[in-house]
Amino acid sequence: MSISVNKNPMEFHLFNQKISYIIRVDEETGEVLSCYFGKHIQHKDSYSYLSEKIERPCTTSLVEGNHKSSLEFMRREYPDFGHGDFRTAAFDIHTEVSGSICEFKYVGYNLFKGRKAVQGKPHLRIENEKDAETLEIILVDAVSKVRMILTYLILEESASVVRSVRFVNEGKKPVIIKKAMSFSMDFRDKDYKMLSLSGTWARERHIEKSLLHPGVQSVYSTRGTSGHTFNPFFALMKENAEEYQGEVYGFSLLYSGNFLGLIDVDTFETARVMMGIHPQDFSWKLNTSEEFETPECIMTYSSTGLNDLSQELHKIIMKHIVREEHRQDIRPVLINNWEATYFDFNEEKIIDFAEEAATLGFDLFVLDDGWFEGRNDDTTSLSDWNPDLSKLPEGISGLSRKVKEMGISFGLWFEPEMVSKGTNIFETHPEYLVGHPMRKRTHGRNQYVLDFSNDEVVELVFGMMEKILTESEISYIKWDMNRSITEAWSMNLPAERQGEFYHRYIMGVYKLYEKLIDAFPEVLFESCASGGGRFDPGMLYYAPQTWASDDTDAWERVKIQYGTSVVYPLKTIGTHVSAVPNHQVGRITSLKARNETAYFGSFGYEMDITKMSEEEKNQVRKHILFFKEKRQLIQHGDLYRLLSPFEGNIASWMVLSKDQKEGLVYICQALAIPNAPQIRIKLKGLNEKSKYQVVGSDHWHYGDELMYLGILFNEHYFESADNVQFVLNHDFRTYLLEIKEI
Ligand code: DGJ
């Protein structure tokens, strides 16, 4: 890894063994230009040929007498608006003297090992200086004296560059930042498919692909959370790129609030790509000497398809985003009471439930919504975090101790950011609610949002949670968030600073996480927002696992988990077995299918195990044992997606240990097909020359056979009890094949 600098003119080449990222400063205009991002190329002492200047008709030009210096045709690294580039701008700064007209020009750069320290927000954790190098490119607007620092971080081992931008007001007057993307970059062509992870409640992160077209295409959230609709991620795949071939670029924003990821294809087929805080309702007043820094965006490249890109992202998330304590840890197999009881429980029921859980082999019992005073449905009590003694006579402290005595840990649900009507905060501190005092407040699930942009509110909620955590034996918290933000107004901010609300809000959420982690470092957090409405790298920085979806139907989960795995490691994905008929889609699938699907994540249950037959309980015991045996492999192995549920009737993936000696292949068919054609599934990642056995089969195969010829759906690989001819003749049938080197 290195950053090479050519000084005349200024050119910067960031590279490691996998990638090169080249930018240069235009001699005439002081503009920073995008030159190249892709597979590693050797360094040269000039890249001037990479910023061609063409004279075109009907344009404007920065330099008098020179018709080739139009910003409209330059490939720019952080473009403004107003000097002849009519495409989407990456930023917009208003000064008192000249409105939105600014001229940021290159003045210098800094290079250093490691990275600068960051406080209070998610960022790439670089524990060892040797792992990364940073380039800062400094531009200044001579009139306002605002400094803009474009930051690039390159890692030794990852095919990624991490970008962000810092604004420092060195002038005498305040300025208003109205838009500040985390990065922008102009690609030289537009021949890509855009891949996004989109959906809604109960069908999060489905894979969508579409060819880029002239004009603007985007993914975004304006909900205050990253949301169910689009994940803060998109990929650009070269037209021929697929899972295991072709060039793919991924852009993943380390942020949990409103975001925008945008591609603007111009008429000369340049694709401008950017991502950052959504400019809708955003503005930030920057007083003299103040700084504003955007969230970081991870830009990743693969020359060998989407799966490789995913593996790069998984590594960066597990090594540089998730807290150190949770990188190699063993995540508990949990059981949550939500779908088993909803709000209808008392201590007796919970004790029975937890006792059963302990005998079946669960590690952790989680008490979900409904444990606090008066919370018998979703209309009430949020923010009154006092245990409901009519349900739980010994409170959470008593219950948690009893559960612990059973030999399993205890976890608790909170929805810290919310308030219901009639609660203490609602009645006595209306100024702590998000919303305008003279305007109607829109409710969501009968609840309102606390103003986390106000430190007093964060402190108050921390105090309430701290009390319960201190009094009780809690090793896990599920942090839920069940509505989008509307009427975004803080009574703690002056009118002209209301544009800061959304960002300050999410910074408040991060602050509460930091305070809780500082006070209770041993607690495992799982984030959640009506299922998977806040599955983003910003959350993973604090909570190393996320509840993926309220939809726990096996086949729906195949799609959700498959899509989620494009960015997120299996270990970060909360996956549960639930009852049938499934509560979201009414589908009936076997216990086997539900378990085998849920294995591929941070595994757990949420169904009433006390009502199961002995036979079913035995099955549950076996599933938990099997998962525990395979937990290391599943949670720390490499993932290979084999067949997409978005493209066919059969989905398949496998995990392989890093030493390529052990694998687990998952196959699920949605609908059975009568007299179907024979199926074969080609494995990935194996050692070509090693001999492998599919556990249970008498035959062995070389790695190359299993990868290039594939596993055939015949009697040699599958359980002998099955009539092979009808091996997949059930709807929602799953198979697990264990592969071992012999
Ligand atoms: C939404 C979550 O996604 C569910 O798992 C559950 O915790 C409910 N909220 C509780 O209200």
Side-chain angles (χ1 to χ4, degrees):
M1 163 197 64
S2 181
I3 302 176
S4 294
V5 182
N6 297 332
K7 292 216 162 129
N8 195 16
M10 295 309 301
E11 293 174 338
F12 304 92
H13 182 182
L14 298 86
F15 62 87
N16 58 28
Q17 286 182 350
K18 295 178 177 173
I19 52 160
S20 279
Y21 191 109
I22 303 172
I23 44 193
R24 68 191 307 270
V25 180
D26 182 53
E27 305 89 307
E28 265 180 330
T29 60
E31 270 298 309
V32 184
L33 303 177
S34 307
C35 292
Y36 175 72
F37 176 33
K39 203 174 167 86
H40 172 246
I41 54 177
Q42 290 169 69
H43 185 68
K44 270 183 37 185
D45 56 10
S46 170
Y47 291 105
S48 57
Y49 73 99
L50 287 177
S51 49
E52 48 285 56
K53 288 187 180 167
I54 303 164
E55 185 171 339
R56 292 186 192 273
C58 195
T59 189
T60 58
S61 190
L62 273 186
V63 183
E64 246 177 81
N66 176 346
H67 298 284
K68 292 184 178 173
S69 64
S70 174
L71 292 179
E72 193 171 356
F73 312 122
M74 291 189 196
R75 281 186 294 278
R76 308 175 69 196
E77 201 58 5
Y78 200 66
D80 63 359
F81 178 78
H83 301 286
D85 186 343
F86 304 100
R87 299 167 288 183
T88 307
F91 71 97
D92 183 6
I93 293 189
H94 272 230
T95 63
E96 203 182 281
V97 51
S98 61
S100 64
I101 306 170
C102 291
E103 287 162 279
F104 282 90
K105 298 293 169 210
Y106 173 84
V107 294
Y109 72 96
N110 294 319
L111 266 189
F112 50 90
K113 292 241 172 294
R115 63 161 307 152
K116 281 200 171 138
V118 179
Q119 298 300 328
K121 63 174 193 181
H123 59 276
L124 232 70
R125 300 178 198 263
I126 304 294
E127 278 115 17
N128 192 338
E129 242 194 14
K130 292 202 303 291
D131 288 347
E133 224 171 309
T134 302
L135 165 69
E136 293 182 337
I137 298 193
I138 304 158
L139 299 99
V140 170
D141 175 44
V143 175
S144 66
K145 305 270 188 304
V146 172
R147 211 165 244 264
M148 174 198 276
I149 297 130
L150 307 181
T151 305
Y152 300 77
L153 183 138
I154 184 159
L155 293 151
E156 171 72 37
E157 284 173 2
S158 169
S160 304
V161 169
V162 181
R163 283 188 59 184
S164 61
V165 182
R166 197 163 82 241
F167 295 93
V168 187
N169 186 355
E170 293 181 346
K172 292 207 163 59
K173 296 267 172 59
V175 299
I176 309 290
I177 304 172
K178 296 181 89 179
K179 179 179 187 181
M181 292 286 114
S182 295
F183 85 95
S184 180
M185 181 180 176
D186 287 348
F187 280 66
R188 358 189 107 236
D189 62 339
K190 60 140 194 38
D191 302 324
Y192 297 94
K193 289 172 279 195
M194 177 186 189
L195 178 150
S196 65
L197 301 174
S198 56
T200 181
W201 176 80
R203 56 179 164 85
E204 295 90 339
R205 291 171 300 286
H206 282 206
I207 294 179
E208 293 287 341
K209 289 181 197 165
S210 54
L211 273 181
L212 292 191
H213 56 79
V216 168
Q217 39 247 284
S218 68
V219 292
Y220 66 93
S221 168
T222 50
R223 295 169 176 277
T225 57
S226 45
H228 301 85
T229 318
F230 296 109
N231 201 253
F233 167 83
F234 62 93
L236 289 182
M237 303 177 67
K238 265 279 167 210
E239 276 172 318
N240 68 341
E242 293 299 343
E243 201 63 45
Y244 293 97
Q245 68 170 44
E247 290 191 289
V248 186
Y249 296 87
F251 306 93
S252 176
L253 192 67
L254 250 166
Y255 193 56
S256 316
N258 290 347
F259 72 90
L260 173 67
L262 177 145
I263 305 165
D264 186 354
V265 175
D266 74 13
T267 187
F268 302 104
E269 304 192 346
T270 300
R272 173 163 292 172
V273 179
M274 59 179 70
M275 202 168 195
I277 295 176
H278 202 302
Q280 174 75 47
D281 270 10
F282 172 81
S283 66
W284 195 274
K285 186 174 182 192
L286 202 63
N287 287 317
T288 303
S289 305
E290 282 180 354
E291 293 192 8
F292 179 82
E293 191 165 22
T294 69
E296 295 178 3
C297 189
I298 306 167
M299 307 167 68
T300 309
Y301 170 78
S302 166
S303 59
T304 52
L306 188 65
N307 205 86
D308 180 52
L309 186 95
S310 298
Q311 290 194 0
E312 287 288 335
L313 284 164
H314 295 178
K315 276 183 224 142
I316 212 169
I317 288 173
M318 286 318 294
K319 203 166 164 203
H320 296 286
I321 293 179
V322 164
R323 286 167 56 208
E324 203 169 353
E325 299 82 318
H326 294 298
R327 293 180 194 159
Q328 293 302 322
D329 62 342
I330 290 292
R331 297 286 165 77
V333 178
L334 70 81
I335 180 147
N336 175 305
N337 71 310
W338 178 241
E339 284 205 4
T341 65
Y342 293 105
F343 295 104
D344 182 18
F345 61 82
N346 55 27
E347 189 177 275
E348 206 187 328
K349 215 175 192 175
I350 293 299
I351 292 286
D352 282 353
F353 196 83
E355 266 169 357
E356 193 63 73
T359 65
L360 292 180
F362 288 96
D363 301 315
L364 165 71
F365 165 75
V366 179
L367 184 61
D368 209 280
D369 195 356
W371 58 266
F372 42 100
E373 251 168 7
R375 181 76 169 173
N376 294 317
D377 57 37
D378 66 13
T379 62
T380 170
S381 305
L382 293 167
S383 80
D384 276 347
W385 299 110
N386 305 311
D388 189 337
L389 298 181
S390 68
K391 285 183 184 170
L392 309 170
E394 293 179 48
I396 292 297
S397 65
L399 178 65
S400 62
R401 282 193 177 89
K402 286 183 191 164
V403 171
K404 208 174 166 205
E405 276 160 23
M406 296 170 197
I408 60 174
S409 329
F410 180 84
L412 192 63
W413 178 96
F414 279 97
E415 198 174 355
E417 298 149 77
M418 293 296 146
V419 57
S420 308
K421 263 193 178 154
T423 54
N424 185 30
I425 295 187
F426 191 93
E427 297 303 330
T428 58
H429 283 292
E431 77 281 13
Y432 286 173
L433 271 68
V434 173
H436 193 283
M438 290 158 71
R439 303 272 179 199
K440 182 179 176 316
R441 281 193 184 95
T442 304
H443 81 92
R445 205 197 190 201
N446 309 300
Q447 64 200 46
Y448 301 88
V449 185
L450 287 173
D451 179 5
F452 265 51
S453 74
N454 180 347
D455 274 355
E456 261 176 51
V457 174
V458 174
E459 290 299 333
L460 183 71
V461 177
F462 172 70
M464 292 190 280
M465 293 177 77
E466 184 192 29
K467 179 167 182 295
I468 293 178
L469 281 155
T470 311
E471 291 169 354
S472 316
E473 296 282 345
I474 296 175
S475 69
Y476 161 106
I477 288 180
K478 177 175 173 187
W479 178 324
D480 205 346
M481 200 289 189
N482 284 305
R483 60 157 295 180
S484 304
I485 296 175
T486 54
E487 294 89 25
W489 186 277
S490 164
M491 283 191 245
N492 193 43
L493 289 171
E496 84 273 9
R497 299 200 84 139
Q498 290 297 332
E500 299 173 21
F501 169 76
Y502 281 115
H503 184 62
R504 287 187 183 276
Y505 179 92
I506 202 66
M507 295 301 279
V509 171
Y510 294 149
K511 182 165 195 181
L512 181 55
Y513 262 116
E514 296 211 339
K515 288 179 76 71
L516 288 168
I517 289 167
D518 279 354
F520 306 98
E522 67 293 343
V523 169
L524 169 68
F525 286 87
E526 176 155 346
S527 72
C528 168
S530 301
R534 231 187 205 174
F535 209 134
D536 60 67
M539 278 293 122
L540 291 176
Y541 182 89
Y542 299 105
Q545 60 190 60
T546 304
W547 180 224
S549 176
D550 277 343
D551 198 334
T552 41
D553 166 70
W555 180 247
E556 292 306 312
R557 269 307 182 112
V558 169
K559 290 186 271 182
I560 292 166
Q561 290 168 211
Y562 190 98
T564 305
S565 79
V566 169
V567 183
Y568 305 99
L570 295 186
K571 195 175 178 182
T572 66
I573 306 176
T575 51
H576 295 178
V577 174
S578 64
V580 287
N582 173 266
H583 293 196
Q584 290 74 40
V585 292
R587 189 174 289 140
I588 297 182
T589 54
S590 67
L591 192 56
K592 174 179 182 300
R594 281 173 278 150
N595 273 279
E596 290 181 351
T597 308
Y599 286 163
F600 292 88
S602 276
F603 174 65
Y605 267 56
E606 61 175 279
M607 63 188 287
D608 195 347
I609 44 170
T610 62
K611 298 219 173 85
M612 285 181 155
S613 66
E614 280 312 308
E615 164 54 25
E616 282 173 322
K617 285 182 193 167
N618 277 335
Q619 284 185 40
V620 172
R621 242 179 235 114
K622 282 189 194 148
H623 282 296
I624 293 174
L625 270 179
F626 180 82
F627 175 75
K628 286 186 176 175
E629 250 174 53
K630 298 287 172 194
R631 181 160 47 181
Q632 272 291 350
L633 167 66
I634 294 174
Q635 298 192 343
H636 300 134
D638 290 331
L639 176 76
Y640 294 88
R641 289 179 297 268
L642 304 177
L643 292 175
S644 168
F646 300 102
E647 289 167 17
N649 192 38
I650 299 182
S652 179
W653 58 66
M654 67 182 276
V655 282
L656 186 65
S657 59
K658 301 263 181 228
D659 62 8
Q660 299 166 296
K661 288 184 190 305
E662 198 193 349
L664 192 61
V665 182
Y666 169 88
I667 301 153
C668 179
Q669 168 171 267
L671 297 181
I673 296 173
N675 205 11
Q678 202 183 30
I679 297 158
R680 71 176 165 147
I681 293 179
K682 295 179 177 179
L683 306 190
K684 295 282 177 189
L686 302 173
N687 190 343
E688 289 183 349
K689 296 205 165 72
S690 296
K691 292 176 178 176
Y692 293 94
Q693 187 155 28
V694 178
V695 175
S697 146
D698 300 333
H699 303 260
W700 62 263
H701 307 272
Y702 284 115
D704 53 9
E705 252 180 285
L706 292 172
M707 292 194 289
Y708 312 137
L709 197 154
I711 283 187
L712 304 170
F713 268 57
N714 65 27
E715 66 275 23
H716 301 303
Y717 308 95
F718 293 87
E719 301 132 59
S720 51
D722 273 313
N723 178 341
V724 167
Q725 202 185 344
F726 301 109
V727 81
L728 278 171
N729 205 5
H730 300 272
D731 292 347
F732 313 112
R733 180 74 200 243
T734 55
Y735 277 95
L736 274 191
L737 301 178
E738 295 175 65
I739 313 283
K740 287 220 159 89
E741 194 190 62
I742 49 172

